[in-house]
Amino acid sequence: MTTKSFGQRIKRNEDPQLLTGRAQFVDDVHIPGMLHVAFKRSDYAHARITGIDLEAAKSMPGVVAVYTAEDLGDFWQPSPLLVPPPPAEHVVFNKRTSGQLARSKVRFVGEAIVMVVAESRYLAEDAAETIIVDYEPLDAVVGLEAALTEDSALVHEDVGSNIGAHVIQRKGDYDTARAQADLVISRRLLYDRGTAAPMETRGVVAHYDHLARHLTVWDSTQAPIPIRNGLAAMFGLSERQVRVIAPFVGGGFGPKVMMFYPEETLVPWAAIKLERPVKWIEDRLENFYAMTHERGQLHDSEIALTKEGKILGVKDVFLHDTGAYIPYGLTVPINTQCTLLGPYVVPHYYTEFKALFTNKTVVTPYRGAGRQHGVFVMERLLDIAAKELGMDPLELRRINFIQPEQFPWCNEIIYQDFTKLTYDSGNYEPVLDKAMRMIGWDEWRQNEQPRLRAEGRKVGIGLVMYVEGTGIGPYEGARVQVETTGKVTIVTGIGTQGQGHYTSFAQIAADALGVPMKDIYISTGDTGQFSWGVGTFASRGAVVAGSAVYSAAQMVREKALKQAAEHLEASEADIELVDGFAQVRGAPGARVPLATLAASANPLRGAVRPGTEPGLEATAYFGPQMGTTASGAHAMIVEVDPETYQLKILKYVVVHDCGPLINPLIVDGQVHGGVAQGIGNAFYEQLIYDETGQLLNASFMDYLLPTSTDVPRMELGHEETPSPLNPLGVKGAGEAGAIPVGPLFAQALEDALIDSGLEILEIPLSPSRLWELVEGGDA
Amino acid sequence: MKPAAFDYHAPTTLDEALALLAAYGDEAKILAGGQSLIPAMNFRLAQPAILVDINPVTTLVGIHAEGDGGLRIGTMTRQRTVEHSDLVAARAPLLAETMPHIAHPQIRNRGTFGGSLAHADPASELPAVAVALGMTLRAQSTRGERDIDATDFFQGLFATALEPDEMLIEVLIPALPARTGTAFAEVARRHGDYAMAGAAAVVTLAEDGTIAACKLVYLSIGDAPVESHSAASALLGVIPTDEAIRAAAEAMEQDIDPLGDIHATAAYRRHLAKVLARRTLASAVARARN
Ligand SMILES: Cc1cc2nc3c(=O)[nH]c(=O)nc-3n(C[C@H](O)[C@H](O)[C@H](O)COP(=O)(O)OP(=O)(O)OC[C@H]3O[C@@H](n4cnc5c(N)ncnc54)[C@H](O)[C@@H]3O)c2cc1C
């Protein structure tokens, strides 16, 4: 009897391949005659280009071609806008996207100016080094507030200001609510920049077969289908003449969803033009400058409460750093607006942001994608309010929770999927209770902490809550087929960057078809295999593509049952699918392999009934009416060295509710990775720019990713509140780990350093910064 | 991040290597463990025309016990070998205590003892320890051999007393006097990072329990190892109570003028220097008493 695999802690199918170095990444693609690319990138954050001297580069040995923006002719074009602005109440949007190579002006350090194509990467870099660009330096727009001043330089002169967008959204009437409040807390909160730093940098290999008139592109992207569609349009090819393959991708985290990065169109363009395969692999230095960043926001925020602690309203006005261009629309700041409200009843809400152009790398979603900032603002305001009201911070949260019977809960403002922000389901108190139990909140507060404090130790505890919009549309699709060998293939268009799709999708199909996991083959991220879909982002793979796999597998199941009923001369209702066989329930002798059914559905001679479709196969699409809303709590106990302000996490707990778990092992892994990135974001990782727009720490020596010694073991708990929006009831889990870590650090560190009266209003922190905040320093 | 073109030589004897250095002068760079040089070349910050790879020169490897109770360590001895050496643990416990703070095991497997000293990164642990222990650095060229005192060897940011044609061949570590305790501590953002500040302390007690000799040397506080003579003189001849150590840490402050950087403000670094003075002096004293 095949046991149900949905919900099982099954080890990942793809891991043996990955762990033994036998998985194909873009850089593993080697094609005879392949050329290599290096870019000459801007040394200035903001400058006019007055001349480019390519003479030396062109005559270097092994150099095949050198291109500037001029050389691209009509092919030079600003990239499309990936996400249009949402239909919110008040929206100003100044679309500015970048062409492939900077033309007359550079707008951030690392912007590509010249493309060199040579016989090897070494030679290409040698040639790029000889290129002399003459610059007329301009003042750089770096600080957010400075970007708005009268005399600020302008990143895009034709916009007339540095405002990329201005959006106001509201729910109810905040001003009236504020007038009735017993307590109003106002603070300025800062969340600074970081980078996703995937282990595999970006990379593109393109090969145009002139005889077959077919372009193949290997791209380390999270969204191969849109890239295929876009490339076909740009090159005047049919979509069938272009195949984009996202093979194994060593981390995406959001920045690999762009359309397009300059390199993604330039490399195929050069391959077509030069009639040779072309490869570009981003090196780590380029990755720091040219892959998109996230997180810079400055908030002026306010919360209004009754003296009993009921939230009356929130007002949040913030500046969002979008960098030099705004190709991804407003997803990040819209997520901030929407996620801020959290699991709480906030009757009145006013939220306004300006997205500002700065002379820094472009900002697009990175794991959490703006949600961090919103959660940081809300959780900080609640902590401060709790202190003011003399209330327990968790009790303050508890009395404001949306109650289980209040779902679906509509927050009225517009979300990143353009629908009104509505939570499908949730049950927050059990999440809070479980987190308190697991971290040992009461025991810690009553006994442990006083005991340790008496010894002079600086120990603190924190617990924060959040919700996470996941599993947004528009849609994904999947094709499920039982082959004549009895093996099952599942094909879907989304890409995979470590989420375990090879396992979780197989689990879904295994249950529907009664086949062992080992007999299921999965293809994702290859447009040659599946033509429709959007991509892997926004914690949507399992929800949207998973549901499509489920529907397609159910359709195949129906077909199999029908055929088996005929074959076994039994009623469909009596047939079960077990271990690769269709059998009559209670009569295990009466059975037929699925392989036989698949073969007979694909007859090679004879006749079929009119209307018969061949094969034991089905394709299904799933498009949810709106996103699912997951939720969770993170808690930690931390100790601070009272002299050096280094810290040690003594215990870390996550309780998460993403509905029924397809594979708890995979969900745990997603949470672990997210927490690691969250810890980086909270205490280690910060991109530091000087006033001229130079990035000061573009290497892993100075950009500090948390290592295994900095990330603690975590204890994980799950609640399972199903979503009514999809057949599996699942919600997304990809970003949950990363989202609330900033405010958790703030709360726990304030508690550890309680004697100092420290109030933390910024992330990331560091020992130096903490010391400065506590001891005065030159803060 | 590919290096510029270079010519590569891999001599198998010291004489050949020195001849190459004599021939090419400052066009050439010695390649030891490559853990600092290769990254610099990949960033194209260093573009040597010629690399002289001394890995095949096996005579430059080894940890030798000297008759006077000291040690002699060949320049190409891997950092990991020094870390695990019983001889080092017995005769130079300060060195043994310091080694695990240098980078990560993978890097110590390749990085060399002498390479770290010759590289003279002010954030490196070994130069500070070399000054604290009074090591002698032995250099050789086709012109001959000379011994350089650690205090004279380090001349600033990545600058040493070595001439372009000279190679550091080995390091002499003197025996520790009786009733001597040593201690090392550093504060880094993550384990294995270059420290925001670090200190090595060497304390020798007289029979009466007063301090007979004391050295306190910092890394990452200036552009070379920084020795605090004020801390030492504050302690000389006194019984090292907590109070005395605290006073020495205060006195130390006039000897340093740290700069701020992206990981630590100048004020925080100064604060760390004080904390490290207290911590290393106190444990060096405790060990000297044992
Ligand atoms: C990620 C990382 C982290 C690190 N963290 C630390 C740390 O925390 N602390 C620390 O101290 N170091 C650290 N290092 C550097 C490491 O210790 C290096 O090994 C060391 O600095 C240089 O030793 P090497 O043998 O690798 O020398 P190489 O890189 O080969 O050479 C360095 C320089 O010294 C010169 N040189 C080498 N040998 C000689 C010689 N015998 N005579 C004359 N000149 C010579 C070379 O020409 C070159 O200029 C780190 C390195 C990395 C990659």
Side-chain angles (χ1 to χ4, degrees):
Chain A
M1 179 75 204
T2 316
T3 50
K4 191 167 185 277
S5 62
F6 190 105
Q8 300 295 313
R9 235 166 223 286
I10 296 172
K11 281 196 184 166
R12 305 197 322 166
N13 282 340
E14 52 268 57
D15 283 346
Q17 207 185 340
L18 285 163
L19 295 174
T20 56
R22 288 182 170 80
Q24 189 192 41
F25 294 85
V26 170
D27 199 20
D28 296 317
V29 176
H30 302 283
I31 305 172
M34 192 162 71
L35 296 169
H36 298 263
V37 170
F39 289 94
K40 173 73 181 176
R41 296 179 181 275
S42 175
D43 299 318
Y44 284 89
H46 198 195
R48 259 178 249 296
I49 298 173
T50 55
I52 303 178
D53 182 353
L54 304 173
E55 281 320 302
K58 282 185 168 162
S59 61
M60 297 274 288
V63 171
V64 175
V66 181
Y67 301 114
T68 64
E70 297 309 317
D71 301 319
L72 302 184
D74 288 346
F75 185 66
W76 189 96
Q77 50 190 291
S79 70
L81 178 66
L82 188 50
V83 184
E89 173 192 325
H90 170 96
V91 179
V92 173
F93 186 75
N94 295 311
K95 173 186 157 185
R96 291 295 181 280
T97 60
S98 79
Q100 295 95 331
L101 296 170
R103 206 146 48 181
S104 52
K105 179 167 148 166
V106 288
R107 294 187 173 85
F108 63 96
V109 176
E111 187 166 10
I113 303 171
V114 185
M115 178 192 198
V116 179
V117 191
E119 297 290 343
S120 81
R121 176 68 181 244
Y122 288 86
L123 297 172
E125 288 194 21
D126 288 347
E129 208 187 10
T130 67
I131 294 169
I132 299 166
V133 179
D134 293 321
Y135 299 99
E136 180 193 320
L138 302 167
D139 285 345
V141 181
V142 182
L144 284 177
E145 286 181 288
L148 282 176
T149 55
E150 279 289 313
D151 54 352
S152 172
L154 295 180
V155 179
H156 299 278
E157 282 92 355
D158 57 338
V159 174
S161 75
N162 286 316
I163 297 179
H166 182 197
V167 173
I168 298 174
Q169 300 211 65
R170 60 183 112 211
K171 171 185 179 187
D173 174 7
Y174 175 76
D175 288 337
T176 309
R178 185 187 202 280
Q180 291 156 7
D182 300 313
L183 176 68
V184 176
I185 303 282
S186 319
R187 290 293 186 279
R188 166 163 280 207
L189 298 125
L190 173 71
Y191 212 105
D192 205 5
R193 264 192 189 225
T195 182
M199 200 183 296
E200 183 205 20
T201 54
R202 295 181 298 133
V204 185
V205 175
H207 178 37
Y208 186 65
D209 181 332
H210 284 262
L211 298 179
R213 296 195 300 137
H214 189 272
L215 175 68
T216 308
V217 176
W218 290 262
D219 186 355
S220 182
T221 178
Q222 294 171 241
I225 290 172
I227 297 288
R228 187 272 318 269
N229 298 348
L231 289 178
M234 287 181 102
F235 296 121
L237 296 170
S238 146
E239 287 177 6
R240 297 281 163 200
Q241 286 173 284
V242 182
R243 179 178 176 196
V244 174
I245 302 168
F248 275 101
V249 172
F253 309 118
K256 290 185 183 171
V257 204
M258 280 279 284
M259 190 180 135
F260 296 98
Y261 279 109
E263 300 89 350
E264 280 176 315
T265 61
L266 285 173
V267 170
W269 177 80
I272 293 170
K273 195 171 162 76
L274 298 171
E275 303 196 7
R276 305 246 322 246
V278 179
K279 173 187 270 190
W280 169 74
I281 300 295
E282 183 178 54
D283 66 30
R284 187 56 65 183
L285 192 59
E286 292 182 288
N287 184 263
F288 268 101
Y289 293 106
M291 192 187 75
T292 54
H293 294 167
E294 221 216 85
R295 307 252 195 277
Q297 287 184 1
L298 181 65
H299 288 250
D300 285 307
S301 316
E302 214 174 271
I303 188 167
L305 308 104
T306 67
K307 57 182 183 303
E308 293 77 30
K310 278 279 180 195
I311 300 169
L312 295 175
V314 171
K315 178 180 181 184
D316 182 43
V317 178
F318 65 99
L319 302 178
H320 168 75
D321 181 353
T322 190
Y325 302 96
I326 193 159
Y328 210 106
L330 300 175
T331 300
V332 174
I334 292 285
N335 276 348
T336 305
Q337 290 189 309
C338 290
T339 311
L340 183 145
L341 295 168
Y344 312 112
V345 175
V346 180
H348 302 280
Y349 183 39
Y350 176 90
T351 171
E352 171 179 0
F353 70 81
K354 293 193 176 98
L356 301 181
F357 291 121
T358 58
N359 291 119
K360 291 184 266 181
T361 298
V362 173
V363 166
T364 69
Y366 156 38
R367 200 173 200 169
R371 298 179 184 90
Q372 274 91 337
H373 318 64
V375 173
F376 182 62
V377 169
M378 188 63 163
E379 295 297 299
R380 288 282 64 206
L381 290 176
L382 288 174
D383 287 341
I384 295 164
K387 278 184 197 162
E388 289 282 325
L389 291 166
M391 267 180 88
D392 176 83
L394 302 187
E395 191 52 30
L396 177 60
R397 285 165 171 81
R398 189 187 297 275
I399 63 169
N400 285 292
F401 281 154
I402 301 162
Q403 295 304 309
E405 63 280 4
Q406 288 176 292
F407 293 92
W409 174 266
C410 181
N411 267 327
E412 296 176 28
I413 61 173
I414 301 294
Y415 190 45
Q416 61 157 313
D417 62 355
F418 304 159
T419 61
K420 276 200 172 163
L421 175 66
T422 306
Y423 302 170
D424 53 342
S425 64
N427 192 1
Y428 306 131
E429 276 205 79
V431 173
L432 173 60
D433 289 337
K434 188 177 268 187
M436 285 179 72
R437 258 197 323 277
M438 287 174 64
I439 198 79
W441 186 275
D442 293 330
E443 164 62 18
W444 170 264
R445 275 274 190 247
Q446 281 154 28
N447 300 317
E448 272 292 279
Q449 191 172 35
R451 186 176 65 74
L452 295 170
R453 279 187 175 154
E455 292 171 14
R457 290 171 63 179
K458 305 260 184 224
V459 284
I461 193 167
L463 192 159
V464 296
M465 304 280 303
Y466 62 102
V467 299
E468 180 202 357
T470 69
I472 55 168
Y475 80 95
E476 290 296 340
R479 185 167 64 245
V480 173
Q481 183 194 356
V482 180
E483 295 178 1
T484 52
T485 55
K487 302 236 185 241
V488 173
T489 56
I490 300 172
V491 186
T492 167
I494 66 167
T496 288
Q497 309 93 44
Q499 293 89 347
H501 296 148
Y502 295 94
T503 310
S504 46
F505 291 170
Q507 286 176 258
I508 293 169
D511 286 350
L513 299 174
V515 291
M517 290 279 290
K518 67 169 173 50
D519 286 340
I520 299 177
Y521 171 82
I522 298 202
S523 163
T524 78
D526 179 352
T527 69
Q529 295 276 6
F530 199 81
S531 203
W532 295 97
V534 185
T536 302
F537 53 88
S539 302
R540 67 193 289 279
V543 179
V544 187
S547 293
V549 169
Y550 175 81
S551 302
Q554 288 300 330
M555 288 156 72
V556 173
R557 177 185 172 83
E558 299 298 311
K559 286 189 182 180
L561 292 178
K562 199 158 159 208
Q563 285 186 30
E566 277 180 31
H567 193 99
L568 297 170
E569 296 181 353
S571 146
E572 263 180 61
D574 293 335
I575 308 258
E576 57 183 4
L577 303 181
V578 178
D579 284 338
F581 288 88
Q583 66 190 31
V584 179
R585 201 168 285 124
R591 64 180 200 168
V592 55
L594 283 182
T596 306
L597 296 179
S600 63
N602 183 23
L604 300 180
R605 294 290 185 278
V608 295
R609 247 178 255 144
T612 303
E613 285 178 12
L616 213 46
E617 178 190 288
T619 302
Y621 297 92
F622 181 76
Q625 69 196 71
M626 62 182 189
T628 55
T629 303
S631 64
H634 287 211
M636 98 174 160
I637 296 175
V638 72
E639 174 158 17
V640 182
D641 181 315
E643 291 187 315
T644 66
Y645 289 81
Q646 289 172 295
L647 55 84
K648 189 162 178 212
I649 298 169
L650 303 178
K651 191 167 181 182
Y652 201 108
V653 164
V654 178
V655 177
H656 188 237
D657 184 351
C658 59
L661 305 173
I662 302 171
N663 182 333
L665 193 63
I666 288 177
V667 175
D668 287 358
Q670 287 289 310
V671 172
H672 290 157
V675 170
Q677 282 179 316
I679 289 174
N681 194 187
F683 206 72
Y684 295 91
E685 302 179 41
Q686 186 171 18
L687 290 168
I688 298 171
Y689 283 87
D690 72 8
E691 66 284 1
T692 67
Q694 292 290 339
L695 178 57
L696 300 181
N697 55 341
S699 89
F700 284 154
M701 190 165 100
D702 284 322
Y703 184 82
L704 308 178
L705 295 171
T707 67
S708 57
T709 53
D710 309 303
V711 179
R713 293 219 162 265
M714 296 155 218
E715 290 168 39
L716 270 50
H718 299 284
E719 289 293 313
E720 302 194 23
T721 309
S723 171
L725 299 177
N726 64 69
L728 299 169
V730 297
K731 301 177 175 187
E735 295 164 277
I739 291 171
V741 190
L744 179 64
F745 266 64
Q747 194 192 78
L749 288 170
E750 281 181 4
D751 188 44
L753 298 165
I754 194 153
D755 302 336
S756 69
L758 171 70
E759 191 174 280
I760 293 175
L761 302 173
E762 64 189 52
I763 289 291
L765 299 161
S766 67
S768 180
R769 183 64 184 145
L770 264 186
W771 178 81
E772 209 173 15
L773 289 170
V774 173
E775 304 283 322
D778 41 58
Chain B
M1 298 184 79
K2 303 286 185 210
F6 55 86
D7 283 338
Y8 175 77
H9 297 270
T12 54
T13 65
L14 181 57
D15 286 346
E16 280 175 78
L18 296 177
L20 285 164
L21 293 181
Y24 294 112
D26 50 16
E27 270 185 84
K29 274 249 169 233
I30 293 172
L31 174 65
Q35 299 303 296
S36 296
L37 182 56
I38 299 294
M41 288 171 65
N42 286 346
F43 277 107
R44 296 193 177 220
L45 296 170
Q47 301 200 3
I50 288 147
L51 277 192
V52 179
D53 181 350
I54 58 171
N55 283 272
V57 185
T58 49
T59 52
L60 296 173
V61 178
I63 301 173
H64 312 278
E66 297 285 275
D68 62 354
L71 287 170
R72 186 164 53 87
I73 301 182
T75 185
M76 285 301 290
T77 311
R78 304 292 163 183
Q79 293 162 0
R80 193 76 165 153
T81 310
V82 177
E83 178 183 354
H84 288 296
S85 158
D86 292 338
L87 207 49
V88 170
R91 297 194 172 193
L94 178 61
L95 192 51
E97 186 182 11
T98 303
M99 296 311 295
H101 292 280
I102 303 174
H104 311 277
Q106 295 89 331
I107 289 157
R108 296 197 293 276
N109 280 335
R110 291 298 302 166
T112 63
F113 187 69
S116 177
L117 294 165
H119 190 54
D121 187 324
S124 279
E125 288 80 4
L126 291 182
V129 170
V131 173
L133 289 179
M135 294 187 199
T136 300
L137 290 85
R138 185 164 287 162
Q140 197 176 333
S141 68
T142 52
R143 297 176 288 119
E145 194 182 279
R146 66 180 175 126
D147 285 352
I148 309 165
D149 208 58
T151 34
D152 302 323
F153 186 83
F154 302 104
Q155 303 195 332
L157 203 63
F158 305 109
T160 68
L162 290 176
E163 298 294 334
D165 66 338
E166 276 183 319
M167 185 193 298
L168 174 64
I169 57 162
E170 61 191 13
V171 178
L172 307 173
I173 306 175
L176 288 176
R179 291 181 303 281
T180 297
T182 61
F184 181 87
E186 68 174 35
V187 180
R189 286 300 318 269
R190 304 167 303 184
H191 184 80
D193 279 338
Y194 283 106
M196 295 183 284
V202 181
V203 173
T204 304
L205 297 177
E207 300 242 14
D208 64 358
T210 59
I211 291 193
C214 171
K215 272 199 182 188
L216 176 65
V217 186
Y218 287 102
L219 54 121
S220 282
I221 286 291
D223 63 3
V226 173
E227 185 173 353
S228 172
H229 297 287
S230 306
S233 32
L235 283 172
L236 274 187
V238 306
I239 301 277
T241 58
D242 286 354
E243 261 326 291
I245 288 173
R246 206 164 273 279
E250 298 292 330
M252 174 279 302
E253 282 213 66
Q254 61 191 286
D255 295 338
I256 62 169
D257 188 15
L259 296 177
D261 63 22
I262 58 173
H263 301 304
T265 62
Y268 176 65
R269 198 163 252 138
R270 176 173 283 280
H271 165 75
L272 290 182
K274 242 187 330 191
V275 173
L276 289 167
R278 286 201 304 268
R279 290 185 181 180
T280 54
L281 287 170
S283 45
V285 165
R287 289 168 185 173
R289 283 179 179 145
N290 279 330

